[in-house]
Amino acid sequence: MGIVNVTPDSFSDGGKFNTTDKAVAHAMQLVAQGADILDIGGESTRPGATPVPLDEELKRVIPVIKALIEVGIPLSVDTYKPEVMRAAIDVGVDMVNDVCALQEPHTLEIVAGSKVGVCLMHMQGRPQTMQADPQYQDVVAEVTSFLAARLKAAEQAGVACERIVLDPGFGFGKRTAHNLTLLNHLSSLQSLGLPLLIGLSRKSVLGQVLGSEVGDLALDERVHASIAASVVSVMKGANIVRVHDVKPTVDALKIVSAVMQN
Ligand code: 9MG
């Protein structure tokens, strides 16, 4: 899954092209590099990020989705807002990637009333404050039981389990040790019987592991660590990896696949 962030700060070219055109061009590059799904988002969910007003998020993501529909690649919309889900579904998106796991009002019904797939992700707290003081007794058990409960809620609302993927939400209200424990014990989440989506690409947990002196590395300096994280995730049972750096990830995963088939 290639990440397409439709935010003005994602593309700085001195204003030569508008954000929609730049996002579409970037998405096309990710497809050429081997992405199987594109995840299009208009609001950052990074720790401390400021929420984007609804009309601005719609203005960012809907034109990009419309432009990419013709490409024929599966498209996911990264949003927790019911209005954005509705608009994206209406223009033909294939999947909703919801970091709030369909807990916002009306989102369960919107997805249930459509045919789209959905990613249900675990988060402790909300992006503005989630990294302030994350606490767990048993991170694997708590994330597993949260996802089991959201899976049940989605199924009860009418979302068939064939449409659902689950995600432990790396970096969403988790300290470094929580993230590493979850990754090491990914097989516990496999017990829920659904595909797993993993997002570790360029996240600060990778900078932390690389060492405090490089913990503040620029995001594109976390590329090698991101590829390693994708390889480990897939070897531990992930079915979809959400990444910025598609080409090197695809190459690395071809090696994983070749080894595991033999
Ligand atoms: C939007 N977004 C940012 N990080 C993510 C992750 O780890 N998983 C999913 N599903 N979405 C994410």
Side-chain angles (χ1 to χ4, degrees):
M1 173 184 268
I3 300 170
V4 182
N5 288 325
V6 195
T7 51
D9 57 338
S10 301
F11 306 100
S12 41
D13 66 349
K16 256 196 324 201
F17 300 100
N18 71 36
T19 305
T20 302
D21 292 342
K22 284 180 278 191
V24 171
H26 179 65
M28 296 305 292
Q29 277 176 3
L30 299 186
V31 174
Q33 290 172 11
D36 294 320
I37 311 172
L38 296 174
D39 189 36
I40 300 151
E43 175 179 300
S44 172
T45 47
R46 267 203 299 271
T50 316
V52 171
L54 170 63
D55 58 341
E56 179 61 27
E57 190 176 334
L58 285 166
K59 249 193 278 174
R60 289 181 184 179
V61 297
I62 299 302
V64 174
I65 293 170
K66 280 186 177 166
L68 290 171
I69 288 283
E70 292 162 20
V71 177
I73 183 163
L75 299 179
S76 159
V77 63
D78 156 19
T79 191
Y80 57 87
K81 295 186 186 132
E83 298 88 347
V84 180
M85 285 182 197
R86 162 62 47 224
I89 291 169
D90 285 348
V91 297
V93 85
D94 302 281
M95 175 173 169
V96 167
N97 174 25
D98 184 1
V99 298
C100 294
L102 301 181
Q103 292 181 100
E104 291 295 304
H106 311 300
T107 54
L108 265 177
E109 301 93 270
I110 289 170
V111 170
S114 75
K115 295 198 164 105
V116 299
V118 62
C119 176
L120 304 175
M121 197 197 80
H122 175 272
M123 165 162 51
Q124 187 181 94
R126 282 293 175 263
Q128 291 73 36
T129 52
M130 64 190 178
Q131 288 307 107
D133 188 21
Q135 298 284 348
Y136 299 87
Q137 296 291 322
D138 179 339
V139 67
V140 176
E142 287 168 52
V143 169
T144 306
S145 96
F146 171 86
L147 291 175
R150 294 315 300 156
L151 169 58
K152 192 168 167 200
E155 285 187 299
Q156 281 174 350
V159 185
C161 65
E162 291 77 12
R163 292 165 57 193
I164 303 174
V165 301
L166 302 175
D167 183 339
F170 288 102
F172 284 83
K174 293 165 188 91
R175 298 175 194 278
T176 300
H178 298 139
N179 290 303
L180 298 177
T181 302
L182 269 172
L183 184 54
N184 197 22
H185 295 276
L186 211 57
S187 57
S188 297
L189 294 183
Q190 282 184 305
S191 67
L192 296 171
L194 291 184
L196 299 178
L197 189 156
I198 298 302
L200 275 160
S201 184
R202 300 188 184 183
K203 288 198 175 162
S204 66
V205 54
L206 304 177
Q208 295 282 333
V209 172
L210 292 178
S212 54
E213 73 280 13
V214 288
D216 293 330
L217 283 177
L219 294 182
D220 61 4
E221 292 177 77
R222 294 180 189 158
V223 174
H224 301 121
S226 299
I227 295 159
S230 283
V231 167
V232 174
S233 301
V234 170
M235 295 191 76
K236 291 267 183 189
N239 305 85
I240 304 172
V241 283
R242 181 181 181 277
V243 301
H244 299 86
D245 307 290
V246 170
K247 168 73 176 143
T249 307
V250 168
D251 283 355
L253 294 181
K254 280 183 182 164
I255 304 300
V256 174
S257 171
V259 171
M260 292 175 78
Q261 279 168 23
N262 283 276

